[in-house]
Amino acid sequence: MPQKPWLILTLRRTGGTSLTTFLAGISPFPSIEHEPFNIDRLFGPVTRAFRDTQDLDALRAGIAQALGDDPAKRPNIKHCFDVVPPALTAELIRACAARGYAILLYTRGDEARRLRSLFLALSTGAWGGAEARRIYPEIRAGRITPKPIKELNVRRRLAEDRKRLALVKGQLAQEGIAHSCRHFEELFGAGVDSAVEARKLAAEMGSEVAPDDAALRWFDRGGKQGSEDIADLVPGYPQAVALLDQLCKPSS
């Protein structure tokens, strides 16, 4: 099976950094920065132009230019669809499908935990391990005060993320777009052999990975940021946790 460039469709704080880095390491296609269509990143001008003009033809042309003319140089893309206009995500999916991309929808079964992580990052400004190691000690020492988490924002974010996810799932189904699906927990959950599951996913997406491949190092169990250690210092966090547990509770 020939290898393909890939498009990962996900939401912020799903836990996709290790997965994306692994897939990039085994791919012959160029890897670019994560979430390149965010307004402050590589293809941000495409997003900003569409936000300002709502010009679909220009959006399609901008996406086509970003993906390039050379099939051997198609960029691998991790795309968070909760931070860009839904129309951009829809056109990106269509453009990648038309160009033979392997598409992965990567979500998290425990939505409450994902959103807890998101709001801690929004509150503290610590989005990754390096930032956490720098910022968390300052919070503990009282030199940085996290932004308060507001109940209204929690409700809005949950509702919007559910809407965006439904749009993506609906498009993939309605347009008959071939794709793989994974939950974070299927790769990193308790009792899961992450390396084995990563190899299975890679095979689905067109890449064979040996059991001893160095690329699998990204699936060790280290690297936690310790965000729960500073949670009590974030205004509104305990209330947000309780609200998310209530709103995300499975219906009986």
Side-chain angles (χ1 to χ4, degrees):
M1 180 186 298
Q3 287 187 296
K4 304 175 180 180
W6 43 255
L7 169 66
I8 298 176
L9 299 166
T10 190
L11 293 149
R12 287 176 296 174
R13 311 308 283 183
T14 295
T17 298
S18 293
L19 174 60
T20 303
T21 306
F22 161 69
L23 291 174
I26 62 173
S27 174
F29 294 89
S31 295
I32 55 178
E33 65 179 328
H34 295 189
E35 303 155 50
F37 285 94
N38 289 9
I39 59 172
D40 58 344
R41 299 192 182 173
L42 180 62
F43 302 140
V46 176
T47 306
R48 290 195 299 272
F50 179 70
R51 182 190 60 189
D52 294 341
T53 67
Q54 299 297 300
D55 186 333
L56 273 174
D57 289 336
L59 173 63
R60 293 178 185 123
I63 291 173
Q65 183 176 14
L67 298 181
D69 296 324
D70 187 345
K73 296 181 180 179
R74 305 277 193 218
N76 295 316
I77 296 174
K78 175 192 173 188
H79 178 71
C80 285
F81 52 80
D82 54 322
V83 292
V84 300
L88 188 152
T89 294
E91 294 300 334
L92 177 63
I93 291 171
R94 291 186 187 109
C96 287
R99 289 163 175 78
Y101 271 65
I103 297 175
L104 170 65
L105 178 59
Y106 187 59
T107 56
R108 191 157 186 164
D110 191 340
E111 190 69 350
R113 184 174 292 276
R114 182 187 72 82
L115 286 166
R116 278 158 47 184
S117 175
L118 175 62
F119 277 99
L120 276 179
L122 290 169
S123 174
T124 64
W127 290 89
E131 291 169 324
R133 288 188 290 273
R134 175 175 56 84
I135 292 172
Y136 287 175
E138 297 296 301
I139 292 174
R140 295 188 190 100
R143 290 187 289 268
I144 292 179
T145 302
K147 298 175 183 177
I149 300 173
K150 298 179 180 179
E151 176 182 328
L152 180 61
N153 291 341
V154 174
R155 291 182 180 274
R156 285 176 172 170
R157 186 72 266 161
L158 175 60
E160 184 63 22
D161 285 359
R162 285 176 169 173
K163 176 182 175 182
R164 298 287 186 95
L165 179 57
L167 286 172
V168 169
K169 286 182 173 179
Q171 178 184 3
L172 293 170
Q174 291 163 16
E175 298 182 15
I177 296 173
H179 63 285
S180 297
C181 292
R182 285 296 189 282
H183 280 162
F184 167 87
E185 291 83 357
E186 293 176 288
L187 288 170
F188 296 100
V192 172
D193 188 327
S194 297
V196 168
E197 295 305 318
R199 291 177 61 226
K200 289 180 183 177
L201 175 60
E204 276 183 36
M205 299 180 72
S207 297
E208 296 297 326
V209 180
D212 59 350
D213 195 303
L216 292 167
R217 69 188 183 279
W218 296 103
F219 293 91
D220 64 31
R221 296 289 174 165
K224 290 186 176 181
Q225 296 179 21
S227 54
E228 297 294 332
D229 295 342
I230 56 91
D232 290 342
L233 301 175
V234 177
Y237 182 76
Q239 293 84 354
V241 169
L243 179 60
L244 286 168
D245 287 345
Q246 173 191 341
L247 295 175
C248 298
K249 184 178 180 180
S251 56
S252 56

